[in-house]
Amino acid sequence: MSQTRQHQKRPRTEEHRWGLLTLTGPVLTVFLLGLTFLYWQGAQREADAKRHQAFAVSVERIVSSLKDRMATYELVLRGVKGYYDGSDSIDRDEFEAYVQALRLPETRPGLQGVAYVLNLPADELDAHVEQMRNKGLLSYNVHPQVAQSHHTPITHIEPQSSDNLKALGFDASTITTAREALDRARDTGKLALTSRLRLQQDVGRDAVTGLVMYLPLYRKDADLGSVEGRQRGIVGWVSAPFRMNDLLQGMAQQLYSDIDLAIYDGDPQSAESLLYGDAKLGAAAPGAAPGLRATQQIALGGRTWTLVMQPLPTFEQRFNA
């Protein structure tokens, strides 16, 4: 009887053991899958964090490099202003020697040149033209010929390349965007940057985005404590014309080939305000890492530039190596 009971118990125990093993298999599989998912999720978070950090570093470098480059352009103008403040007039030969010593193509890549713009009352126009011709510029003339109370001809420009010589005698205030910046610089006493325009050097060519920086020069006895005093005391401006493409090409070593960049003068939603890059940058580039896009604004010469940046597909190659 007891042997029979033991014989009947044994199958139930084995059946129980096999049941546990049968239940443990799927649970273990789910558990291991869960661990794998958590590991993958953690690795993905770490990779995303590295992408975001690398992108943030790239954005910061682009913004700071652009600020630094524009600051070097301003420094050139302040140097010319210092030269003017320390002398009675701007002599063409001395101006040429001063600017050539700066070695602009090497030290300020992208800068088209440095120029002096004269504030010229209309009743002194004829005498001015005669004076310039007597100095050896036999074909000098102020152009275009527009009736206005004051003219603003470019009387000095360096380096004297064939492109830059096209601008000699050009009345800068006949361009609306240039006039706005000239007046703003005169009235504030500060550096003024134009909105986009076509440089006189590029007339007759395909459209190229140009800009000009202006820094005002005043008589030594001018009352600079008021707008009216600055308006009466203005004698001219030093200017720095440049092309946006040249500016960015000169910064190639400071930029990243796998970061797409667009620069707007103000509102990035307006194609008319585009200074550099693709106007469609607002839409995510095909293959770009999701969620990586930055917009930064910088103040320059009384204007606000908006920089829009996002990674190109090659950005991922930094993390696949």
Side-chain angles (χ1 to χ4, degrees):
M1 181 81 176
S2 61
Q3 290 180 352
T4 304
R5 287 180 183 173
Q6 288 178 1
H7 180 72
Q8 290 175 348
K9 244 175 171 183
R10 201 171 289 148
R12 288 181 186 174
T13 303
E14 292 176 358
E15 181 180 339
H16 180 65
R17 186 183 300 116
W18 282 107
L20 287 174
L21 289 174
T22 303
L23 288 173
T24 302
V27 171
L28 182 60
T29 300
V30 170
F31 175 73
L32 292 175
L33 286 175
L35 285 179
T36 302
F37 173 76
L38 291 175
Y39 174 80
W40 174 86
Q41 194 176 50
Q44 188 65 36
R45 279 198 298 266
E46 183 178 354
D48 288 344
K50 288 181 179 179
R51 288 184 180 89
H52 279 82
Q53 183 180 14
F55 181 63
V57 169
S58 300
V59 166
E60 180 59 31
R61 182 176 180 182
I62 290 171
V63 173
S64 62
S65 296
L66 185 57
K67 286 181 179 179
D68 289 346
R69 179 53 51 88
M70 296 301 287
T72 64
Y73 286 6
E74 179 179 352
L75 191 60
V76 170
L77 294 188
R78 295 204 175 277
V80 178
K81 174 178 168 58
Y83 160 70
Y84 169 80
D85 291 341
S87 61
D88 295 328
S89 63
I90 293 185
D91 178 84
R92 291 184 67 247
D93 292 337
E94 291 180 358
F95 185 79
E96 178 182 2
Y98 177 84
V99 176
Q100 284 186 351
L102 296 176
R103 304 195 319 271
L104 295 179
E106 303 167 36
T107 62
R108 307 293 189 273
L111 190 62
Q112 179 68 24
V114 179
Y116 174 62
V117 181
L118 177 66
N119 181 50
L120 180 68
D123 59 4
E124 298 178 14
L125 177 60
D126 292 341
H128 165 71
V129 171
E130 182 179 0
Q131 183 185 41
M132 293 294 286
R133 290 179 179 178
N134 289 338
K135 290 181 178 179
L137 299 174
L138 301 182
S139 60
Y140 179 85
N141 208 350
V142 174
H143 59 95
Q145 296 183 2
V146 177
Q148 48 192 23
S149 62
H150 281 72
H151 300 281
T152 53
I154 297 172
T155 61
H156 304 57
I157 188 164
E158 293 292 338
Q160 293 184 29
S161 63
S162 57
D163 276 352
N164 280 344
L165 288 176
K166 295 177 186 177
L168 200 63
F170 179 71
D171 192 339
S173 60
T174 58
I175 298 179
T176 303
T177 53
R179 174 185 282 277
E180 185 278 330
L182 287 164
D183 290 348
R184 179 157 43 87
R186 176 199 64 198
D187 293 350
T188 63
K190 299 178 180 179
L191 181 83
L193 180 65
T194 67
S195 57
R196 60 183 293 176
L197 50 74
R198 179 181 293 231
L199 299 177
Q200 186 67 14
Q201 291 90 331
D202 295 326
V203 171
R205 298 175 178 169
D206 292 339
V208 177
T209 299
L211 298 103
V212 185
M213 282 180 166
Y214 293 109
L215 192 64
L217 303 174
Y218 302 98
R219 292 195 316 265
K220 291 181 175 57
D221 61 349
D223 172 19
L224 303 183
S226 66
V227 173
E228 293 78 9
R230 290 190 286 270
Q231 290 175 344
R232 288 192 300 268
I234 189 74
V235 295
W237 300 258
V238 284
S239 68
F242 61 95
R243 304 180 183 101
M244 283 301 297
N245 284 346
D246 292 346
L247 168 66
L248 272 297
Q249 286 175 7
M251 293 174 54
Q253 293 183 344
Q254 287 78 41
L255 304 181
Y256 293 90
S257 60
D258 55 7
I259 301 295
D260 204 1
L261 168 67
I263 303 175
Y264 296 84
D265 181 17
D267 183 8
Q269 302 302 317
S270 170
E272 294 299 317
S273 67
L274 182 68
L275 299 177
Y276 175 84
D278 187 352
K280 299 179 181 179
L281 185 57
L292 292 181
R293 186 172 183 273
T295 300
Q296 296 250 359
Q297 290 188 324
I298 57 178
L300 297 165
R303 305 196 70 84
T304 300
W305 283 5
T306 302
L307 281 60
V308 182
M309 294 152 284
Q310 68 182 26
L312 293 166
T314 51
F315 179 79
E316 288 296 322
Q317 294 176 5
R318 293 197 204 179
F319 309 96
N320 295 335

